[in-house]
Amino acid sequence: MTRMSDKTLPFIVWNAAAAADATQGRPVGDWHATGVSIDTRTIKSGDLFVAIQGLQSDGHAYAQTALDRGAAAVVVVEGSDAVAADAPTVRVIDTTRALEDLGRAARKRSRAKIAAVTGSVGKTGSKDALAVAFCRQGIVHASEGNLNNHWGLPLTLARMPVEASLAILEMGMNHPGEIRPLTKMARPHVALITTIEQVHSEYFSSIEDIADAKAEIFEGLEAGGAAVLNLDNAMYGRLAGRARDCGVERIVSFGKTDGADVRLLDACLDAGGSCVTADVLGEEIRYRIGVPGRHWVMNTLGVLAVAAAMGLDLGVSSAMMARLNPPRGRGDRTEIKLPDGTFTLIDESYNASPAAMNAAFGVLAMAEPADGGRRIAVLGDMLELGDTAHSLHRQLAVPLEKSGVQKVYAAGPAMACLFEALPDDLQGAHADASDMLTPIVAKVVRPGDVVLVKGSYGSRMTRVVDALKALGQSNGNGE
């Protein structure tokens, strides 16, 4: 995603000679590419397709398909017969390494100021908010969707044009040691950690271990770089210590806690967004956020802290927050038309954790059903919580009741614990899996309802979302 004034520009990111030089490969043909892809399902005309050899599939099987769909060239293993010998290619020893080499080469040639984002929750929303905040201040390149892992990060870097002046890169992990190679490849100038929560705790013995794994992001910071940290979070001191251990001298804090460099002074929340007053390095700034929820208020404080650390215009950055839209599956709203009215769908089906669940319940509480409507929560299991899973699901009962929900529908073995903890009048139905719950929910929604759907990606709550959208013609942010 490369933006200038919110319009995608067709920059040339690679030609045959440059790609071959970066990968130490052998070029065939004289071509240039305006993008990079590893998936023929989303490939765009002009992309350079890299045939990744993964555990589940081999991209070489799709190399010819990539060319048929308009790819400028493909990166394949030397000696491969996946495409004709004279097809536009770069032939390399290892395609996964070639993708990494393209990413490193793109970073080496870039003069962009780079911000890197990680955290237990809010990293994709913060990354997208940074892209919006920066888009009037230069040519902005940012990770698409959640391309934040060992393939997504080098792919994002490989797509970065030389002309980019600002870049935002997301880094994710669910095991120790996964962020370290990403940040060393990206070499950011500013590193934002949104917060540390009990997420992916199945793979960590303590929240301190989670913090240490996130703090690996500081190991790749450029000399003179800054760490942006949430002062409200219990792990702030530990993260700040890890940053200093890595030679980071500048730490910019944000939050509602006294002493924060970017401090929340006031927030007026409503169903459509929030009006915020914040002290940003001694300057009082008022701005509107275009999406609802206190978690978005906190996300934007981190955004302004990054903008300040990068020396950008805070007035422009804050004003752009009014244009925010939630990422797909992370709070986007759709009005679903039924024969006798409409209901509102809040799609939070992409991911879930205890902190994210509570944030979503807060958004549901602010949403006002129309006449005859109800607040309905459709919830799937929160995954990767280890031995604490059942207790963490049960603990959601109290904040869920406080949200003013009228009915709860739940899917998955862990969500059974929450369902059983609810009063009888709130219990809609429980099923072992989302596909079994979907027809039940589709039958009970009625005009005026506000329906929140949330769960970890692996719980497949998108099935419920798709079924609800199929009930009628949709018209909203999600369409």
Side-chain angles (χ1 to χ4, degrees), residues 109-445:
R109 72 189 182 188
S110 177
R111 296 182 180 178
K113 292 182 179 179
I114 296 176
V117 183
T118 193
S120 297
V121 293
K123 55 183 176 292
T124 299
S126 294
K127 177 262 300 178
D128 288 346
L130 284 164
V132 172
F134 294 175
C135 72
R136 291 285 188 252
Q137 303 183 67
I139 298 174
V140 179
H141 180 71
S143 304
E144 291 186 10
N146 67 321
L147 290 176
N148 60 22
N149 63 5
H150 63 293
W151 286 342
L153 191 280
L155 177 61
T156 299
L157 283 172
R159 289 171 168 173
M160 183 166 61
V162 175
E163 293 85 352
S165 56
L166 298 163
I168 306 107
L169 307 174
E170 182 180 340
M171 299 181 190
M173 67 90 197
N174 54 21
H175 291 85
E178 291 181 342
I179 287 181
R180 182 172 294 115
L182 304 182
T183 187
K184 290 185 176 181
M185 184 182 299
R187 294 187 287 112
H189 299 93
V190 176
L192 164 65
I193 298 183
T194 58
T195 190
I196 303 295
E197 304 289 349
Q198 287 284 0
V199 178
H200 307 307
S201 53
E202 180 179 356
Y203 307 113
F204 296 91
S205 60
S206 68
I207 195 167
E208 288 80 8
D209 289 343
I210 297 173
D212 290 346
K214 295 293 187 182
E216 292 171 13
I217 196 170
F218 304 134
E219 297 178 26
L221 268 179
E222 290 283 79
V228 175
L229 303 176
N230 186 340
L231 188 58
D232 299 341
N233 188 257
M235 291 294 104
Y236 173 84
R238 191 177 188 90
L239 294 173
R242 290 292 183 270
R244 294 188 183 99
D245 289 343
C246 293
V248 180
E249 296 182 358
R250 187 180 183 197
I251 296 175
V252 182
S253 61
F254 67 94
K256 59 186 179 182
T257 304
D258 288 345
D261 297 309
V262 178
R263 183 166 63 91
L264 178 66
L265 299 178
D266 186 51
C268 182
L269 282 67
D270 57 64
S274 302
C275 293
V276 178
T277 304
D279 181 316
V280 183
L281 302 180
E283 177 184 358
E284 186 172 299
I285 294 179
R286 293 181 174 87
Y287 59 97
R288 171 77 181 174
I289 305 173
V291 290
R294 183 165 291 277
H295 58 300
W296 277 102
V297 173
M298 303 313 295
N299 285 347
T300 62
L301 295 180
V303 166
L304 294 184
V306 171
M310 296 178 75
L312 299 180
D313 189 307
L314 296 175
V316 173
S317 297
S318 59
M320 293 301 291
M321 294 299 91
R323 301 185 58 183
L324 282 180
N325 289 309
R328 191 171 184 85
R330 293 180 172 89
D332 53 311
R333 298 185 179 212
T334 308
E335 294 297 316
I336 310 294
K337 295 181 180 179
L338 298 176
D340 50 352
T342 65
F343 71 91
T344 301
L345 171 64
I346 304 175
D347 179 7
E348 285 270 7
S349 61
Y350 185 80
N351 217 336
S353 66
M357 280 285 187
N358 280 286
F361 298 161
V363 171
L364 180 62
M366 289 187 292
E368 289 294 334
D371 290 344
R374 305 153 296 171
R375 294 185 184 91
I376 296 175
V378 186
L379 307 176
D381 282 354
M382 301 180 292
L383 303 179
E384 298 182 357
L385 294 178
D387 295 339
T388 63
H390 287 179
S391 64
L392 289 173
H393 281 77
R394 278 193 295 270
Q395 290 169 24
L396 295 176
V398 172
L400 187 53
E401 289 182 64
K402 289 182 177 179
S403 72
V405 68
Q406 274 81 46
K407 286 294 178 184
V408 177
Y409 296 84
M415 270 299 163
C417 299
L418 166 62
F419 192 77
E420 293 166 0
L422 293 171
D424 291 346
D425 62 323
L426 296 190
Q427 293 180 346
H430 173 267
D432 291 337
S434 61
D435 58 343
M436 301 170 65
L437 186 68
T438 295
I440 299 172
V441 176
K443 287 181 180 179
V444 300
V445 293

